[in-house]
Amino acid sequence: MRKILVTLKRVVDYNVRVRVKPDGSGMAVEGLKMSINPFDEIALEEALRMRERGDAGEVVAVTIGGDESQQQLRTGLAMGADRALLAKCEGELQPLTVAGILLEVARREEPDIVIMGKQAIDDDCNQAGQMLAALWGRPQATFASEVQLDGGSARVTREVDAGLESIEVQLPAVITTDLRLNEPRYIKLPDIMKARRKPLEILSVDELGLAAAPSLQPLGYEPPEQRQKGVLVEDVAALVGRLRERGLVN
Amino acid sequence: MSKVLVVAEHDGAALHPGVARVVSCGLGIQPGGLDVAVMGQDCAAIARQAAGIAGVSRVLCLDRAENARPLAAAQAPQLAALAQQGYSHLLGPSTTFGKDLMPRAAALLGVPQVSDIMSVEGERRFKRPVYAGNAVLTVEAPAERIVVATARLASWQAAPEGGEGAVENVVLDVELPDHTKWLELKMPETERPDLQSASVVVSGGRALGSADNFSLLYDLADHLGAAVGASRAAVDAGYVSNEMQVGQTGKIIAPELYFAIGISGAIQHLTGIKDAGVIVAINKDPEAPIFEIADIGLVGDLFSIVPELKAALEDS
Ligand SMILES: Cc1cc2nc3c(=O)[nH]c(=O)nc-3n(C[C@H](O)[C@H](O)[C@H](O)COP(=O)(O)OP(=O)(O)OC[C@H]3O[C@@H](n4cnc5c(N)ncnc54)[C@H](O)[C@@H]3O)c2cc1C
Ligand SMILES: Nc1ncnc2c1ncn2[C@@H]1O[C@H](COP(=O)(O)O)[C@@H](O)[C@H]1O
């Protein structure tokens, strides 16, 4: 039976507006509501559906981060993951480092498929899945909106700028999710209770003995340029008048 | 002296208009030279188009059967090999093509990637958006390593035509994996301008209520020669297809004129349009956040306003 690894990143909930700290040294995230990165929730949902269809056996959720990320793993377990793995390390992580750690995890776990989000909504990098696929020497199917498994391969429909592209990848492979792949389920109370008894293994990243990956040095954050609030017009005639004044329409 | 290699996106027939924008970004580094790599099959004509962009020194044409379709698994190793031939920077577009390919190449080169460059602050120093555009981060790429990056197209003007770069064929001895197979590309048929390069865009949101009702916007758009876009809610509801989505996870656009019709203005949508010239919002809720950034707002029911607007534009 296929084994599926799903990555879950702990991020500020997408409904919360995050602001730059006054001194520009980072984002003011203290005390904000934290959640699973929305794309990763979709990744987990897809893995669970594979298992429920009989296309997969075990679903393992992986997070790289501090102890507080156990919260997101417990949520993943409540959603239905069979077990969870926390690769523990502190500090800001960049995608190349994440990919290097995931490679070690993939070597230990030997999954048939790794499903990741296409993008973390905090750093907005859109890199980690592609980087893992490169380091692992395996195929990547990014921005998936449909996945069909067939023996040792997967047929994936990808959301690309021009439309919908389909590719076939041999397993093991890395798949990254787009928003329309599925709609994640809601968690029921009994599932939260059950999740407490599911295994959550903690692995120290230091013990993996990874060489530090080169990284980008953050020099400072600033708020984006604000657009000026414009005018409200009374009616269509006034709107067209304004557009004509600016030479935007005939 | 830095030397930049730009990856050309194309569809097998024509160069993507974003290439000239990535060239602009590359020239911002003030390099000693800027080359363009075209990976394709029978791609001589595309290479000549790339050579016509001002500022391009050379176009390197990697013509081979495996490049008939852009598969990152096959193209990343070629790019990584080429980039190691004396380049300090490897740049691609922040399109689905570039987002798929560049991180794979970066990892093969063992370096981090700078995604979505908005501005160049130095040879290795760049600004990029994070948190759905709620902040701008300045980063410095590690010294003595090749810089791999994507350029946020809406932040860059296209470099003009008029270049006279040389075209060279390059044969690389790189073994390519065969674990990935291209199957098909389904493109919706449309005669309308491309969303990412159109100067006018008319977008609709959940308020349109159905696929049929979107014809209201198509009529207006056709009258204006505009492209049509949508919020994620409209795409999710199945009113329009995915490639029309504008925003953090859709397309980032910068038209001269943008109409947001029945769109509330969620941060994920706004990040896709904040470089637009003039934003017009039509929404029945005067408190909708879209009015906070719209240049011209009109409060009311789109189902009466849009036909009225089209009629008003017609009598001129
Ligand atoms: C990770 C993530 C990424 C996302 N990425 C994107 C993205 O790239 N792009 C994107 O757009 N969204 C994105 N979203 C979704 C975003 O958060 C909003 O849910 C979405 O933009 C809302 O779409 P909407 O404005 O069409 O719908 P709504 O928020 O439902 O707004 C509809 C608006 O129409 C108005 N209205 C209703 N009836 C009428 C009428 N008759 N006449 C005039 N006005 C009317 C209402 O007042 C309301 O303001 C993302 C969300 C997440 C979690
Ligand atoms: N610290 C992390 N722990 C687990 N998964 C991660 C982590 N960072 C990134 N990922 C995964 O990589 C995807 C892409 O992240 P990014 O390249 O940072 O945009 C995310 O959607 C996650 O699935």
Side-chain angles (χ1 to χ4, degrees), chain B residues 184-228:
Chain B
E184 63 169 345
L185 174 62
K186 280 197 207 135
M187 284 194 284
E189 281 168 43
T190 173
E191 307 275 294
R192 294 193 185 87
D194 170 55
L195 187 55
Q196 270 164 315
S197 39
S199 55
V200 183
V201 173
V202 176
S203 279
R206 195 197 308 271
L208 268 294
S210 72
D212 284 345
N213 287 342
F214 250 83
S215 62
L216 274 177
L217 301 195
Y218 296 136
D219 288 347
L220 176 63
D222 290 342
H223 185 74
L224 292 164
V228 178

mmCIF file of all heavy atoms in Angstrom, chain B residues 184-228:
data_model
loop_
_atom_site.group_PDB
_atom_site.id
_atom_site.type_symbol
_atom_site.label_atom_id
_atom_site.label_comp_id
_atom_site.label_asym_id
_atom_site.label_seq_id
_atom_site.Cartn_x
_atom_site.Cartn_y
_atom_site.Cartn_z
ATOM 1 N N GLU B 184 -0.951 16.718 -21.821
ATOM 2 C CA GLU B 184 -1.739 17.671 -22.621
ATOM 3 C C GLU B 184 -1.886 19.012 -21.928
ATOM 4 O O GLU B 184 -1.634 19.146 -20.741
ATOM 5 C CB GLU B 184 -3.136 17.102 -22.910
ATOM 6 C CG GLU B 184 -3.959 16.880 -21.657
ATOM 7 C CD GLU B 184 -5.430 16.565 -21.957
ATOM 8 O OE1 GLU B 184 -5.901 16.783 -23.086
ATOM 9 O OE2 GLU B 184 -6.106 16.111 -21.022
ATOM 10 N N LEU B 185 -2.302 19.999 -22.717
ATOM 11 C CA LEU B 185 -2.612 21.328 -22.179
ATOM 12 C C LEU B 185 -3.977 21.728 -22.705
ATOM 13 O O LEU B 185 -4.201 21.767 -23.918
ATOM 14 C CB LEU B 185 -1.562 22.350 -22.635
ATOM 15 C CG LEU B 185 -1.840 23.801 -22.275
ATOM 16 C CD1 LEU B 185 -1.894 24.014 -20.769
ATOM 17 C CD2 LEU B 185 -0.780 24.728 -22.885
ATOM 18 N N LYS B 186 -4.885 21.972 -21.782
ATOM 19 C CA LYS B 186 -6.218 22.431 -22.191
ATOM 20 C C LYS B 186 -6.294 23.932 -21.998
ATOM 21 O O LYS B 186 -6.199 24.425 -20.875
ATOM 22 C CB LYS B 186 -7.298 21.764 -21.325
ATOM 23 C CG LYS B 186 -7.620 20.357 -21.762
ATOM 24 C CD LYS B 186 -8.954 19.923 -21.148
ATOM 25 C CE LYS B 186 -8.979 18.418 -21.007
ATOM 26 N NZ LYS B 186 -9.473 17.952 -19.722
ATOM 27 N N MET B 187 -6.458 24.639 -23.110
ATOM 28 C CA MET B 187 -6.560 26.092 -23.026
ATOM 29 C C MET B 187 -7.967 26.488 -23.402
ATOM 30 O O MET B 187 -8.470 26.073 -24.437
ATOM 31 C CB MET B 187 -5.585 26.741 -24.010
ATOM 32 C CG MET B 187 -4.163 26.705 -23.555
ATOM 33 S SD MET B 187 -3.166 27.806 -24.544
ATOM 34 C CE MET B 187 -2.995 26.864 -26.027
ATOM 35 N N PRO B 188 -8.602 27.300 -22.590
ATOM 36 C CA PRO B 188 -9.941 27.745 -22.963
ATOM 37 C C PRO B 188 -9.846 28.632 -24.199
ATOM 38 O O PRO B 188 -8.868 29.370 -24.356
ATOM 39 C CB PRO B 188 -10.411 28.535 -21.745
ATOM 40 C CG PRO B 188 -9.192 28.827 -20.962
ATOM 41 C CD PRO B 188 -8.114 27.891 -21.359
ATOM 42 N N GLU B 189 -10.826 28.519 -25.068
ATOM 43 C CA GLU B 189 -10.776 29.347 -26.272
ATOM 44 C C GLU B 189 -11.253 30.745 -25.948
ATOM 45 O O GLU B 189 -12.315 30.928 -25.384
ATOM 46 C CB GLU B 189 -11.671 28.734 -27.351
ATOM 47 C CG GLU B 189 -10.991 27.564 -28.031
ATOM 48 C CD GLU B 189 -11.957 26.774 -28.879
ATOM 49 O OE1 GLU B 189 -12.765 27.407 -29.582
ATOM 50 O OE2 GLU B 189 -11.904 25.537 -28.806
ATOM 51 N N THR B 190 -10.450 31.715 -26.280
ATOM 52 C CA THR B 190 -10.886 33.092 -26.097
ATOM 53 C C THR B 190 -10.168 33.989 -27.096
ATOM 54 O O THR B 190 -9.015 33.765 -27.432
ATOM 55 C CB THR B 190 -10.648 33.587 -24.658
ATOM 56 O OG1 THR B 190 -10.940 34.980 -24.623
ATOM 57 C CG2 THR B 190 -9.218 33.346 -24.200
ATOM 58 N N GLU B 191 -10.887 34.980 -27.543
ATOM 59 C CA GLU B 191 -10.298 35.947 -28.471
ATOM 60 C C GLU B 191 -9.852 37.184 -27.694
ATOM 61 O O GLU B 191 -9.307 38.105 -28.268
ATOM 62 C CB GLU B 191 -11.353 36.389 -29.496
ATOM 63 C CG GLU B 191 -12.035 35.240 -30.207
ATOM 64 C CD GLU B 191 -11.237 34.770 -31.410
ATOM 65 O OE1 GLU B 191 -11.127 35.567 -32.361
ATOM 66 O OE2 GLU B 191 -10.709 33.640 -31.387
ATOM 67 N N ARG B 192 -10.151 37.183 -26.410
ATOM 68 C CA ARG B 192 -9.864 38.388 -25.617
ATOM 69 C C ARG B 192 -8.379 38.498 -25.332
ATOM 70 O O ARG B 192 -7.651 37.523 -25.382
ATOM 71 C CB ARG B 192 -10.642 38.338 -24.302
ATOM 72 C CG ARG B 192 -12.123 38.419 -24.541
ATOM 73 C CD ARG B 192 -12.933 38.681 -23.307
ATOM 74 N NE ARG B 192 -14.317 38.609 -23.750
ATOM 75 C CZ ARG B 192 -15.008 37.484 -23.802
ATOM 76 N NH1 ARG B 192 -14.487 36.366 -23.375
ATOM 77 N NH2 ARG B 192 -16.236 37.488 -24.267
ATOM 78 N N PRO B 193 -7.941 39.725 -25.008
ATOM 79 C CA PRO B 193 -6.512 39.915 -24.724
ATOM 80 C C PRO B 193 -6.080 39.094 -23.511
ATOM 81 O O PRO B 193 -6.900 38.713 -22.673
ATOM 82 C CB PRO B 193 -6.395 41.407 -24.420
ATOM 83 C CG PRO B 193 -7.703 42.026 -24.670
ATOM 84 C CD PRO B 193 -8.718 40.973 -24.923
ATOM 85 N N ASP B 194 -4.794 38.866 -23.437
ATOM 86 C CA ASP B 194 -4.199 38.106 -22.340
ATOM 87 C C ASP B 194 -4.286 38.925 -21.043
ATOM 88 O O ASP B 194 -3.963 40.103 -21.010
ATOM 89 C CB ASP B 194 -2.736 37.817 -22.719
ATOM 90 C CG ASP B 194 -1.958 37.260 -21.556
ATOM 91 O OD1 ASP B 194 -2.420 36.245 -21.014
ATOM 92 O OD2 ASP B 194 -0.926 37.846 -21.188
ATOM 93 N N LEU B 195 -4.715 38.253 -19.992
ATOM 94 C CA LEU B 195 -4.933 38.912 -18.696
ATOM 95 C C LEU B 195 -3.676 39.621 -18.193
ATOM 96 O O LEU B 195 -3.746 40.716 -17.638
ATOM 97 C CB LEU B 195 -5.392 37.842 -17.708
ATOM 98 C CG LEU B 195 -5.846 38.245 -16.314
ATOM 99 C CD1 LEU B 195 -6.941 39.279 -16.375
ATOM 100 C CD2 LEU B 195 -6.334 36.997 -15.562
ATOM 101 N N GLN B 196 -2.515 38.998 -18.386
ATOM 102 C CA GLN B 196 -1.302 39.566 -17.810
ATOM 103 C C GLN B 196 -0.716 40.730 -18.604
ATOM 104 O O GLN B 196 0.102 41.468 -18.083
ATOM 105 C CB GLN B 196 -0.237 38.485 -17.597
ATOM 106 C CG GLN B 196 -0.370 37.871 -16.221
ATOM 107 C CD GLN B 196 0.370 36.559 -16.098
ATOM 108 O OE1 GLN B 196 0.291 35.708 -16.975
ATOM 109 N NE2 GLN B 196 1.081 36.381 -15.011
ATOM 110 N N SER B 197 -1.137 40.882 -19.868
ATOM 111 C CA SER B 197 -0.573 42.021 -20.596
ATOM 112 C C SER B 197 -1.630 43.036 -21.035
ATOM 113 O O SER B 197 -1.278 44.072 -21.604
ATOM 114 C CB SER B 197 0.255 41.532 -21.793
ATOM 115 O OG SER B 197 -0.351 40.433 -22.419
ATOM 116 N N ALA B 198 -2.908 42.778 -20.759
ATOM 117 C CA ALA B 198 -3.962 43.690 -21.191
ATOM 118 C C ALA B 198 -3.854 45.034 -20.476
ATOM 119 O O ALA B 198 -3.473 45.097 -19.317
ATOM 120 C CB ALA B 198 -5.329 43.077 -20.905
ATOM 121 N N SER B 199 -4.202 46.123 -21.177
ATOM 122 C CA SER B 199 -4.147 47.416 -20.504
ATOM 123 C C SER B 199 -5.443 47.707 -19.743
ATOM 124 O O SER B 199 -5.461 48.556 -18.860
ATOM 125 C CB SER B 199 -3.805 48.540 -21.484
ATOM 126 O OG SER B 199 -4.714 48.531 -22.536
ATOM 127 N N VAL B 200 -6.517 47.017 -20.111
ATOM 128 C CA VAL B 200 -7.759 47.161 -19.339
ATOM 129 C C VAL B 200 -8.231 45.765 -18.935
ATOM 130 O O VAL B 200 -8.228 44.837 -19.740
ATOM 131 C CB VAL B 200 -8.866 47.854 -20.175
ATOM 132 C CG1 VAL B 200 -10.125 48.049 -19.330
ATOM 133 C CG2 VAL B 200 -8.384 49.188 -20.746
ATOM 134 N N VAL B 201 -8.623 45.616 -17.675
ATOM 135 C CA VAL B 201 -9.129 44.331 -17.184
ATOM 136 C C VAL B 201 -10.454 44.555 -16.448
ATOM 137 O O VAL B 201 -10.565 45.461 -15.619
ATOM 138 C CB VAL B 201 -8.119 43.647 -16.232
ATOM 139 C CG1 VAL B 201 -8.727 42.397 -15.599
ATOM 140 C CG2 VAL B 201 -6.833 43.287 -16.980
ATOM 141 N N VAL B 202 -11.432 43.744 -16.788
ATOM 142 C CA VAL B 202 -12.726 43.773 -16.104
ATOM 143 C C VAL B 202 -12.839 42.476 -15.312
ATOM 144 O O VAL B 202 -12.813 41.394 -15.890
ATOM 145 C CB VAL B 202 -13.880 43.840 -17.133
ATOM 146 C CG1 VAL B 202 -15.226 43.761 -16.420
ATOM 147 C CG2 VAL B 202 -13.778 45.103 -17.990
ATOM 148 N N SER B 203 -12.938 42.579 -13.976
ATOM 149 C CA SER B 203 -13.008 41.372 -13.154
ATOM 150 C C SER B 203 -14.314 41.287 -12.401
ATOM 151 O O SER B 203 -14.871 42.301 -11.978
ATOM 152 C CB SER B 203 -11.880 41.346 -12.120
ATOM 153 O OG SER B 203 -10.682 40.905 -12.688
ATOM 154 N N GLY B 204 -14.786 40.072 -12.218
ATOM 155 C CA GLY B 204 -16.023 39.850 -11.483
ATOM 156 C C GLY B 204 -15.813 38.917 -10.315
ATOM 157 O O GLY B 204 -14.896 38.103 -10.310
ATOM 158 N N GLY B 205 -16.687 39.042 -9.319
ATOM 159 C CA GLY B 205 -16.581 38.218 -8.116
ATOM 160 C C GLY B 205 -17.792 37.352 -7.898
ATOM 161 O O GLY B 205 -18.612 37.159 -8.803
ATOM 162 N N ARG B 206 -17.893 36.873 -6.682
ATOM 163 C CA ARG B 206 -18.972 35.972 -6.311
ATOM 164 C C ARG B 206 -20.345 36.567 -6.630
ATOM 165 O O ARG B 206 -21.295 35.845 -6.958
ATOM 166 C CB ARG B 206 -18.887 35.712 -4.799
ATOM 167 C CG ARG B 206 -19.709 34.543 -4.316
ATOM 168 C CD ARG B 206 -19.923 34.581 -2.796
ATOM 169 N NE ARG B 206 -18.703 34.733 -2.015
ATOM 170 C CZ ARG B 206 -17.956 33.713 -1.591
ATOM 171 N NH1 ARG B 206 -18.301 32.473 -1.874
ATOM 172 N NH2 ARG B 206 -16.868 33.932 -0.888
ATOM 173 N N ALA B 207 -20.427 37.906 -6.546
ATOM 174 C CA ALA B 207 -21.720 38.574 -6.731
ATOM 175 C C ALA B 207 -22.333 38.300 -8.102
ATOM 176 O O ALA B 207 -23.549 38.445 -8.265
ATOM 177 C CB ALA B 207 -21.550 40.082 -6.538
ATOM 178 N N LEU B 208 -21.545 37.906 -9.075
ATOM 179 C CA LEU B 208 -22.106 37.646 -10.405
ATOM 180 C C LEU B 208 -23.121 36.506 -10.351
ATOM 181 O O LEU B 208 -24.059 36.452 -11.133
ATOM 182 C CB LEU B 208 -20.988 37.344 -11.405
ATOM 183 C CG LEU B 208 -20.406 38.519 -12.196
ATOM 184 C CD1 LEU B 208 -21.448 39.112 -13.136
ATOM 185 C CD2 LEU B 208 -19.880 39.623 -11.295
ATOM 186 N N GLY B 209 -22.923 35.577 -9.433
ATOM 187 C CA GLY B 209 -23.953 34.578 -9.156
ATOM 188 C C GLY B 209 -24.032 33.389 -10.078
ATOM 189 O O GLY B 209 -24.560 32.352 -9.689
ATOM 190 N N SER B 210 -23.532 33.500 -11.305
ATOM 191 C CA SER B 210 -23.574 32.341 -12.206
ATOM 192 C C SER B 210 -22.626 32.561 -13.369
ATOM 193 O O SER B 210 -22.188 33.689 -13.633
ATOM 194 C CB SER B 210 -24.987 32.126 -12.759
ATOM 195 O OG SER B 210 -25.282 33.143 -13.702
ATOM 196 N N ALA B 211 -22.329 31.471 -14.065
ATOM 197 C CA ALA B 211 -21.484 31.563 -15.261
ATOM 198 C C ALA B 211 -22.190 32.404 -16.319
ATOM 199 O O ALA B 211 -21.567 33.231 -16.994
ATOM 200 C CB ALA B 211 -21.179 30.161 -15.790
ATOM 201 N N ASP B 212 -23.494 32.206 -16.445
ATOM 202 C CA ASP B 212 -24.253 32.960 -17.447
ATOM 203 C C ASP B 212 -24.163 34.466 -17.211
ATOM 204 O O ASP B 212 -23.997 35.250 -18.137
ATOM 205 C CB ASP B 212 -25.733 32.547 -17.419
ATOM 206 C CG ASP B 212 -25.933 31.191 -18.081
ATOM 207 O OD1 ASP B 212 -24.991 30.739 -18.783
ATOM 208 O OD2 ASP B 212 -27.009 30.591 -17.891
ATOM 209 N N ASN B 213 -24.264 34.847 -15.939
ATOM 210 C CA ASN B 213 -24.230 36.283 -15.645
ATOM 211 C C ASN B 213 -22.888 36.928 -15.990
ATOM 212 O O ASN B 213 -22.817 38.140 -16.172
ATOM 213 C CB ASN B 213 -24.540 36.527 -14.168
ATOM 214 C CG ASN B 213 -26.009 36.307 -13.866
ATOM 215 O OD1 ASN B 213 -26.846 36.292 -14.780
ATOM 216 N ND2 ASN B 213 -26.333 36.119 -12.599
ATOM 217 N N PHE B 214 -21.848 36.129 -16.085
ATOM 218 C CA PHE B 214 -20.549 36.700 -16.470
ATOM 219 C C PHE B 214 -20.598 37.314 -17.861
ATOM 220 O O PHE B 214 -19.748 38.130 -18.218
ATOM 221 C CB PHE B 214 -19.421 35.651 -16.361
ATOM 222 C CG PHE B 214 -18.474 35.915 -15.230
ATOM 223 C CD1 PHE B 214 -18.793 35.508 -13.949
ATOM 224 C CD2 PHE B 214 -17.281 36.603 -15.431
ATOM 225 C CE1 PHE B 214 -17.931 35.766 -12.884
ATOM 226 C CE2 PHE B 214 -16.412 36.870 -14.373
ATOM 227 C CZ PHE B 214 -16.745 36.457 -13.096
ATOM 228 N N SER B 215 -21.597 36.918 -18.664
ATOM 229 C CA SER B 215 -21.706 37.501 -20.012
ATOM 230 C C SER B 215 -21.874 39.018 -19.941
ATOM 231 O O SER B 215 -21.469 39.738 -20.846
ATOM 232 C CB SER B 215 -22.851 36.856 -20.788
ATOM 233 O OG SER B 215 -24.050 37.112 -20.102
ATOM 234 N N LEU B 216 -22.431 39.506 -18.834
ATOM 235 C CA LEU B 216 -22.507 40.961 -18.627
ATOM 236 C C LEU B 216 -21.114 41.576 -18.704
ATOM 237 O O LEU B 216 -20.908 42.635 -19.300
ATOM 238 C CB LEU B 216 -23.035 41.252 -17.224
ATOM 239 C CG LEU B 216 -24.527 41.318 -16.949
ATOM 240 C CD1 LEU B 216 -24.729 41.558 -15.453
ATOM 241 C CD2 LEU B 216 -25.144 42.448 -17.756
ATOM 242 N N LEU B 217 -20.153 40.898 -18.047
ATOM 243 C CA LEU B 217 -18.785 41.423 -18.025
ATOM 244 C C LEU B 217 -18.086 41.216 -19.362
ATOM 245 O O LEU B 217 -17.304 42.059 -19.801
ATOM 246 C CB LEU B 217 -17.966 40.761 -16.906
ATOM 247 C CG LEU B 217 -18.488 40.916 -15.489
ATOM 248 C CD1 LEU B 217 -17.401 40.528 -14.488
ATOM 249 C CD2 LEU B 217 -18.954 42.335 -15.213
ATOM 250 N N TYR B 218 -18.383 40.081 -20.018
ATOM 251 C CA TYR B 218 -17.773 39.849 -21.335
ATOM 252 C C TYR B 218 -18.200 40.945 -22.302
ATOM 253 O O TYR B 218 -17.403 41.445 -23.086
ATOM 254 C CB TYR B 218 -18.172 38.468 -21.885
ATOM 255 C CG TYR B 218 -17.676 37.301 -21.050
ATOM 256 C CD1 TYR B 218 -18.513 36.224 -20.760
ATOM 257 C CD2 TYR B 218 -16.382 37.280 -20.539
ATOM 258 C CE1 TYR B 218 -18.075 35.151 -19.986
ATOM 259 C CE2 TYR B 218 -15.941 36.212 -19.763
ATOM 260 C CZ TYR B 218 -16.788 35.154 -19.489
ATOM 261 O OH TYR B 218 -16.350 34.113 -18.717
ATOM 262 N N ASP B 219 -19.489 41.330 -22.246
ATOM 263 C CA ASP B 219 -19.976 42.394 -23.137
ATOM 264 C C ASP B 219 -19.221 43.696 -22.883
ATOM 265 O O ASP B 219 -18.764 44.358 -23.810
ATOM 266 C CB ASP B 219 -21.476 42.643 -22.909
ATOM 267 C CG ASP B 219 -22.324 41.512 -23.462
ATOM 268 O OD1 ASP B 219 -21.759 40.681 -24.221
ATOM 269 O OD2 ASP B 219 -23.525 41.444 -23.135
ATOM 270 N N LEU B 220 -19.112 44.043 -21.605
ATOM 271 C CA LEU B 220 -18.418 45.287 -21.260
ATOM 272 C C LEU B 220 -16.951 45.204 -21.696
ATOM 273 O O LEU B 220 -16.401 46.143 -22.279
ATOM 274 C CB LEU B 220 -18.519 45.514 -19.746
ATOM 275 C CG LEU B 220 -17.766 46.717 -19.185
ATOM 276 C CD1 LEU B 220 -18.323 48.028 -19.763
ATOM 277 C CD2 LEU B 220 -17.830 46.749 -17.659
ATOM 278 N N ALA B 221 -16.328 44.067 -21.416
ATOM 279 C CA ALA B 221 -14.910 43.888 -21.740
ATOM 280 C C ALA B 221 -14.693 43.995 -23.250
ATOM 281 O O ALA B 221 -13.755 44.655 -23.706
ATOM 282 C CB ALA B 221 -14.407 42.543 -21.229
ATOM 283 N N ASP B 222 -15.565 43.355 -24.024
ATOM 284 C CA ASP B 222 -15.375 43.384 -25.472
ATOM 285 C C ASP B 222 -15.512 44.805 -25.995
ATOM 286 O O ASP B 222 -14.812 45.211 -26.916
ATOM 287 C CB ASP B 222 -16.373 42.440 -26.155
ATOM 288 C CG ASP B 222 -16.022 40.983 -25.850
ATOM 289 O OD1 ASP B 222 -14.863 40.741 -25.422
ATOM 290 O OD2 ASP B 222 -16.877 40.106 -26.029
ATOM 291 N N HIS B 223 -16.401 45.558 -25.373
ATOM 292 C CA HIS B 223 -16.543 46.945 -25.794
ATOM 293 C C HIS B 223 -15.275 47.739 -25.504
ATOM 294 O O HIS B 223 -14.890 48.627 -26.265
ATOM 295 C CB HIS B 223 -17.754 47.574 -25.093
ATOM 296 C CG HIS B 223 -18.026 48.948 -25.563
ATOM 297 N ND1 HIS B 223 -18.578 49.194 -26.804
ATOM 298 C CD2 HIS B 223 -17.760 50.151 -25.006
ATOM 299 C CE1 HIS B 223 -18.647 50.501 -26.971
ATOM 300 N NE2 HIS B 223 -18.167 51.103 -25.904
ATOM 301 N N LEU B 224 -14.604 47.411 -24.406
ATOM 302 C CA LEU B 224 -13.395 48.154 -23.996
ATOM 303 C C LEU B 224 -12.106 47.531 -24.539
ATOM 304 O O LEU B 224 -11.025 48.041 -24.300
ATOM 305 C CB LEU B 224 -13.298 48.167 -22.466
ATOM 306 C CG LEU B 224 -14.350 48.979 -21.707
ATOM 307 C CD1 LEU B 224 -14.355 48.582 -20.230
ATOM 308 C CD2 LEU B 224 -14.066 50.470 -21.845
ATOM 309 N N GLY B 225 -12.225 46.404 -25.210
ATOM 310 C CA GLY B 225 -11.019 45.688 -25.645
ATOM 311 C C GLY B 225 -10.253 45.147 -24.450
ATOM 312 O O GLY B 225 -9.029 45.103 -24.441
ATOM 313 N N ALA B 226 -10.987 44.760 -23.428
ATOM 314 C CA ALA B 226 -10.358 44.378 -22.153
ATOM 315 C C ALA B 226 -10.270 42.874 -21.986
ATOM 316 O O ALA B 226 -11.019 42.117 -22.605
ATOM 317 C CB ALA B 226 -11.161 44.964 -20.995
ATOM 318 N N ALA B 227 -9.369 42.456 -21.103
ATOM 319 C CA ALA B 227 -9.331 41.064 -20.655
ATOM 320 C C ALA B 227 -10.310 40.910 -19.500
ATOM 321 O O ALA B 227 -10.685 41.898 -18.871
ATOM 322 C CB ALA B 227 -7.918 40.711 -20.192
ATOM 323 N N VAL B 228 -10.727 39.673 -19.227
ATOM 324 C CA VAL B 228 -11.638 39.431 -18.116
ATOM 325 C C VAL B 228 -10.927 38.605 -17.049
ATOM 326 O O VAL B 228 -10.260 37.615 -17.348
ATOM 327 C CB VAL B 228 -12.918 38.705 -18.593
ATOM 328 C CG1 VAL B 228 -13.842 38.405 -17.413
ATOM 329 C CG2 VAL B 228 -13.643 39.549 -19.631
#
